[in-house]
């Protein structure tokens, strides 16, 4: 019903804002991500999602359309309500949520306050195909795109190291310098294992 609001920012809090449009003040719930993007400009535009329930009409605002789309996708998952979806978008950026779902990254989603392993798995199970389709993501590009990392892990396994331990160390090394050769990754990993 209400797709966006453009008006004067009257009040700004980390969880909500009040925006005046043509003399009417709207109470709009926001995520920390949107809070950070709004800044202190007097005139703003927010993309909105109106949630209608028996006992309330609640307006949610987003600085970008992409955040609103992720919010709506999250609401479609059984067990994810508006407050949980907003918490997810306050803990991670929309792109991080999207990428975590697309790559099946349960630990990232589970790291959000109030989300357990089963809920994280359900979010990924329900939304992975939609996210890959909507954002036209090639599933393989989201997964490990670093063949040097994979080769280094295989070599460390052959050397007798446990894969999980080796993977943690290698991920840290590659995170610091993605351009390392296989040999350098192995050398640094051996120092840290």
């Amino acid at each position: 019903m209400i797709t966006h609001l453009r008006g004067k920012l009257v009040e700004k809090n980390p969880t909500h804002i009040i925006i005046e449009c043509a003399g009417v003040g709207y109470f709009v719930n926001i995520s920390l991500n949107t809070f950070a993007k709004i800044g202190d400009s007097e005139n703003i535009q927010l993309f909105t999602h109106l949630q209608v329930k028996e006992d309330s009409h609640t307006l949610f605002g987003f600085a970008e359309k992409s955040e609103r789309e992720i919010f709506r996708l999250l609401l479609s998952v059984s067990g994810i309500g508006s407050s949980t979806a907003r918490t997810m978008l306050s803990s991670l950026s929309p792109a991080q949520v999207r990428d975590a779902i697309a790559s099946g990254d349960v630990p990232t989603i589970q790291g959000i306050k109030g989300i357990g392993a089963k809920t994280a798995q359900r979010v990924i199970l329900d939304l992975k195909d939609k996210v890959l389709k909507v954002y036209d993501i090639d599933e393989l590009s989201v997964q490990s795109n670093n063949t040097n990392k994979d080769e280094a892990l295989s070599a460390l396994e052959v050397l007798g190291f446990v894969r999980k331990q080796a993977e943690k160390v290698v991920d840290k090394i590659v995170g610091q310098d993605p351009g390392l050769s296989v040999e350098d990754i192995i050398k640094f990993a051996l120092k840290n294992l």
Side-chain angles (χ1 to χ4, degrees), residues 13 42 55 70 86 113 140 152 159 172:
N13 295 294
E42 192 173 315
D55 58 345
I70 294 289
R86 185 169 68 161
K113 185 178 183 282
L140 295 175
L159 292 172
K172 189 177 179 183

Side-chain angles (χ1 to χ4, degrees), residues 33-189:
N33 183 56
T34 294
F35 176 76
K37 288 193 172 150
I38 288 175
D40 291 320
S41 55
E42 192 173 315
N43 291 312
I44 62 166
Q45 175 175 332
L46 285 181
F47 299 99
T48 58
H49 173 81
L50 178 64
Q51 186 175 50
V52 179
K53 290 186 175 177
E54 277 181 32
D55 58 345
S56 68
H57 290 193
T58 311
L59 202 55
F60 293 90
F62 309 95
E64 299 167 334
K65 280 186 178 179
S66 61
E67 184 178 12
R68 180 175 66 182
E69 293 312 308
I70 294 289
F71 180 80
R72 287 176 171 168
L73 283 173
L74 291 170
L75 289 181
S76 72
V77 177
S78 170
I80 300 283
S82 54
S83 62
T84 304
R86 185 169 68 161
T87 301
M88 289 177 79
L89 290 166
S90 292
S91 303
L92 301 170
S93 72
Q96 288 172 316
V97 173
R98 179 198 69 207
D99 293 346
I101 291 168
S103 63
D105 188 353
V106 174
T108 297
I109 293 175
Q110 197 179 336
I112 299 166
K113 185 178 183 282
I115 296 192
K118 284 186 178 171
T119 305
Q121 288 165 349
R122 191 179 320 115
V123 166
I124 289 169
L125 187 70
D126 288 3
L127 299 181
K128 187 172 185 175
D129 290 340
K130 289 179 188 174
V131 166
L132 291 172
K133 216 177 274 175
V134 170
Y135 292 96
D136 197 27
I137 299 171
D138 179 13
E139 196 168 354
L140 295 175
S141 71
V142 175
Q143 301 284 332
S144 172
N145 210 359
N146 191 334
T147 52
N148 288 356
K149 174 187 154 186
D150 294 336
E151 286 179 35
L153 276 172
S154 297
L156 290 166
E157 267 187 297
V158 170
L159 292 172
F161 291 99
V162 179
R163 184 166 180 94
K164 276 193 174 180
Q165 272 184 312
E167 201 163 9
K168 280 182 187 173
V169 173
V170 169
D171 281 342
K172 189 177 179 183
I173 292 165
V174 173
Q176 291 169 350
D177 187 357
L180 287 173
S181 68
V182 177
E183 295 80 14
D184 288 336
I185 294 172
I186 294 169
K187 282 180 195 170
F188 288 124

